[in-house]
């Protein structure tokens, strides 16, 4: 089994809560480098550290992965604090907001803290952009970029991206743009803080991975995000496919779901 296939094999075992006995023929240096390339070092550490025969791994390899895990854990906790702070600031300013992508997918991982995130993504009403910017900057956030559809803020070394729309008009296709252009209005709100229902967010995740395929490619973690999400969230797939039909991405989604099933054993009914 080559290194890529073995990494997927280990991830499948991890996602399904199965015990793991490592192959003694594995090149763990190569495996660790591949995991790092796919932003999965912290996940791999969780897998290897709980393996029944982890003593076969060179200590320098496991120690390196352990360092990556604790960096990821530290960053996860900082991001959680910033996420909560942003929500409080925007709620006080009476700005509706919805967090999406990494902060929402991480909770479906076996170890949420192992899901590495580069930034925090949230959506607001287009017309409230300036009010949100004023509120955030007044509360210690440095505005790094503004004026387009994504405004970037930073605080305590943590980046946050404020989106005014979910999908750019030229990003994927016209259907996806039309489907997601009023996304902030379909949120489920408790005061000014909202969430997407699981089916809508999954439709967005499919659109997001389609964007990556269109503009450079997607990696193992993109598929793992989808697989962990569909496996561990309560989904109405009739609703999911209805959304995906509207985005024009239903056929594409069946390919992604088939990969999820082949790699991670999600046991989805494809294209229902």
């Amino acid at each position: 089994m080559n290194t890529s296939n073995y990494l997927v094999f280990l991830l499948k075992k991890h996602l399904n809560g199965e015990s793991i006995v490592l192959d003694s023929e594995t090149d763990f240096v190569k495996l660790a480098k591949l995991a790092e390339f796919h932003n999965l070092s912290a996940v791999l550490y969780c897998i290897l550290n709980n393996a029944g025969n982890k003593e076969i791994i060179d200590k320098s390899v496991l120690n390196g992965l352990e360092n990556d895990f604790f960096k990821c854990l530290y960053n996860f906790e900082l991001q959680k604090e910033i996420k909560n702070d942003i929500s409080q600031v925007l709620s006080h300013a009476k700005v509706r907001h919805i967090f999406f992508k990494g902060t929402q997918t991480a909770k479906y991982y076996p170890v949420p803290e192992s899901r590495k995130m580069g930034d925090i993504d949230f959506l607001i009403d287009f017309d409230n952009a300036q009010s949100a910017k004023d509120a955030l900057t007044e509360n210690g956030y440095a505005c790094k970029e503004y004026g387009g559809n994504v405004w970037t803020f930073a605080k305590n070394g943590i980046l946050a991206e404020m989106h005014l729309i979910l999908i750019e008009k030229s990003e994927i296709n016209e259907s996806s743009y039309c489907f997601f252009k009023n996304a902030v209005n379909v949120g489920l709100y408790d005061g000014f803080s909202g969430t997407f229902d699981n089916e809508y967010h999954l439709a967005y995740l499919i659109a997001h991975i389609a964007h990556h395929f269109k503009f450079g490619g997607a990696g193992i973690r993109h598929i793992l995000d989808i697989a962990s999400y569909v496996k561990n969230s309560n989904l109405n797939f009739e609703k999911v496919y209805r959304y995906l039909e509207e985005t024009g991405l239903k056929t594409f989604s069946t390919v992604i779901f088939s990969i999820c099933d082949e790699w991670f054993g999600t046991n989805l009914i494809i294209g229902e």
Side-chain angles (χ1 to χ4, degrees):
M1 189 180 300
N2 68 32
T3 305
S4 294
N5 288 342
Y6 192 56
L7 177 58
V8 168
F9 169 80
L10 292 175
L11 292 169
K12 178 180 180 180
K13 291 279 191 179
H14 181 58
L15 186 59
N16 289 286
E18 300 175 21
S19 60
I20 295 168
V21 176
L22 300 170
D23 183 348
S24 61
E25 300 297 317
T26 303
D27 184 336
F28 289 103
V29 173
K30 190 174 180 180
L31 182 66
K33 287 181 178 177
L34 180 65
E36 181 182 14
F37 177 78
H38 287 278
N39 288 317
L40 290 167
S41 294
V43 179
L44 181 60
Y45 172 73
C46 294
I47 296 169
L48 299 185
N49 192 50
N50 287 292
N53 58 337
K54 69 177 182 179
E55 68 277 357
I56 70 172
I57 308 167
D58 188 282
K59 286 185 179 179
S60 65
V61 174
L62 196 58
N63 287 343
L65 290 170
E66 182 181 48
N67 288 338
D68 289 342
F69 171 76
F70 281 108
K71 286 178 185 176
C72 196
L73 173 60
Y74 177 71
N75 200 57
F76 182 91
E77 293 301 325
L78 285 179
Q79 287 174 323
K80 184 166 69 173
E81 289 180 12
I82 292 296
K83 174 179 176 284
N84 291 338
D85 186 55
I86 289 172
S87 187
Q88 289 177 9
V89 168
L90 295 181
S91 293
H92 187 263
K94 299 183 179 180
V95 174
R96 292 193 302 175
H97 56 282
I98 299 172
F99 293 96
F100 64 101
K101 281 172 55 175
T103 56
Q104 301 306 105
T105 57
K107 61 187 177 182
Y108 296 109
Y109 272 55
V111 182
E113 296 85 350
S114 69
R115 202 280 186 185
K116 187 176 181 180
M117 292 182 285
D119 53 36
I120 299 167
D121 294 278
F122 61 98
L123 176 72
I124 68 161
D125 289 284
F126 187 92
D127 293 339
N128 280 334
Q130 190 59 49
S131 296
K133 178 178 179 290
D134 291 344
L136 290 168
T137 54
E138 287 170 7
N139 283 273
Y141 290 85
C143 186
K144 300 292 187 180
E145 184 177 350
Y146 66 96
N149 288 321
V150 181
W151 298 25
T152 306
F153 297 85
K155 185 177 182 179
N156 298 338
I158 300 298
L159 291 176
E161 290 190 344
M162 183 176 79
H163 297 250
L164 308 189
I165 58 172
L166 277 187
I167 300 289
E168 299 276 356
K169 193 164 188 177
S170 61
E171 192 170 341
I172 303 170
N173 58 31
E174 184 72 20
S175 296
S176 291
Y177 169 73
C178 291
F179 181 79
F180 290 112
K181 69 179 180 180
N182 293 314
V184 73
N185 292 320
V186 304
L188 308 173
Y189 289 92
D190 179 8
F192 292 93
S193 178
T195 60
F196 294 128
D197 68 40
N198 288 340
E199 293 80 10
Y200 192 91
H201 193 236
L202 178 57
Y204 170 74
L205 293 176
I206 292 294
H208 182 64
I209 199 172
H211 164 87
H212 279 278
F213 270 94
K214 183 176 180 179
F215 292 101
I220 294 172
R221 197 189 68 174
H222 289 98
I223 303 299
L224 183 62
D225 276 353
I226 302 293
S228 60
Y229 195 91
V230 300
K231 187 173 182 64
N232 296 313
S233 62
N234 185 24
L235 290 164
N236 176 342
F237 261 87
E238 182 179 347
K239 190 175 179 182
V240 169
Y241 283 120
R242 186 169 71 248
Y243 285 163
L244 289 167
E245 187 75 51
E246 291 185 54
T247 66
L249 294 171
K250 184 177 179 181
T251 299
F252 174 78
S253 75
T254 62
V255 176
I256 298 301
F257 292 148
S258 294
I259 296 171
C260 288
D261 191 37
E262 176 68 23
W263 285 6
F264 301 120
T266 49
N267 297 316
L268 293 173
I269 299 173
I270 308 300
E272 71 177 27

